[in-house]
Amino acid sequence: MIRMTGRQRLGFCASLMLAMAGAAAGTTLARMTLAEMAQAAPVIVRARCLTNSVRWDAGEIWTLTAFQVEEVWKGAAPARVTVRLLGGRSGNITSRVSGVPRFRAGDDVVLFLEPTARGDFSVVSWEQGTFRIRRGRAVGRDSVTQDTASFATFDPAARRLEATGIRNLPLENFRAQVEAALESETRSKP
């Protein structure tokens, strides 16, 4: 048994936490096209963020975000869905995971969702499956920006990390692209 002073224990814990933080900062997401996400997501919704709550589960901090579903673009969803994502702040402990989207009450978003075993949902490919809607000044001029427009994803074809994504695309054009991807998926099924 190794005996440590309080200062040594504190130093050991700080070193361990720094090592863990370095490992957590290594999140890399492989780039998915809009069509790939549309095919991967059993549910696609336009929703408004209501609230966030944080809880511990199996030794991890999870943020649970409640959304009011405004429109269902694919699949079936109840009027209110809960999205469970890794990380958050509980007391004095903060867990941050690169690539995990965070939401605030009032956020208007399009989410590509997959159900979890717990009966809630997760976002397909985290930030890639999260699209923020910004209100336009004129009626019908809302635009969509993908969270990965500022987050690097790995492009296997180019073999490099790049911050790419949909930026300021008119909402009606974005929806048309999603619908085209869903029609293509339907046609390709036997």
Side-chain angles (χ1 to χ4, degrees):
M1 181 168 171
I2 299 174
R3 294 184 185 262
M4 289 190 234
T5 66
R7 189 183 308 238
Q8 289 172 322
R9 279 192 297 265
L10 183 61
F12 175 76
C13 288
S15 297
L16 183 61
M17 287 177 18
L18 283 172
M20 289 171 50
T27 304
T28 302
L29 297 176
R31 182 172 305 137
M32 294 178 77
T33 66
L34 186 60
E36 289 169 335
M37 281 190 297
Q39 292 170 10
V43 176
I44 303 172
V45 298
R46 178 177 179 177
R48 183 166 311 280
C49 178
L50 300 172
T51 62
N52 289 298
S53 63
V54 177
R55 68 174 58 144
W56 284 91
D57 188 9
E60 299 284 350
I61 298 174
W62 293 86
T63 297
L64 303 172
T65 305
F67 289 91
Q68 178 67 42
V69 174
E70 305 289 327
E71 301 172 359
V72 178
W73 292 9
K74 179 184 179 185
R80 188 172 167 161
V81 296
T82 300
V83 173
R84 171 189 292 267
L85 293 166
L86 190 58
R89 181 177 178 91
S90 179
N92 292 328
I93 300 174
T94 299
S95 172
R96 290 190 187 137
V97 181
S98 293
V100 173
R102 294 290 171 225
F103 304 99
R104 290 188 208 129
D107 284 352
D108 190 6
V109 294
V110 174
L111 299 172
F112 288 63
L113 300 172
E114 56 190 347
T116 72
R118 290 182 167 83
D120 46 25
F121 292 87
S122 182
V123 179
V124 170
S125 197
W126 296 346
E127 285 188 336
Q128 284 188 90
T130 303
F131 297 83
R132 312 282 172 160
I133 299 173
R134 301 215 193 308
R135 294 264 179 240
R137 294 178 191 215
V139 174
R141 296 306 309 163
D142 295 346
S143 65
V144 174
T145 297
Q146 189 174 20
D147 274 10
T148 53
S150 62
F151 180 81
T153 56
F154 183 72
D155 180 354
R159 299 181 54 91
R160 67 176 175 254
L161 290 168
E162 293 180 326
T164 62
I166 293 171
R167 293 177 198 258
N168 300 319
L169 180 65
L171 179 60
E172 62 272 10
N173 294 8
F174 175 70
R175 184 155 189 179
Q177 288 181 14
V178 171
E179 289 171 352
L182 295 175
E183 287 175 18
S184 174
E185 175 187 13
T186 303
R187 283 193 303 261
S188 66
K189 287 185 179 178

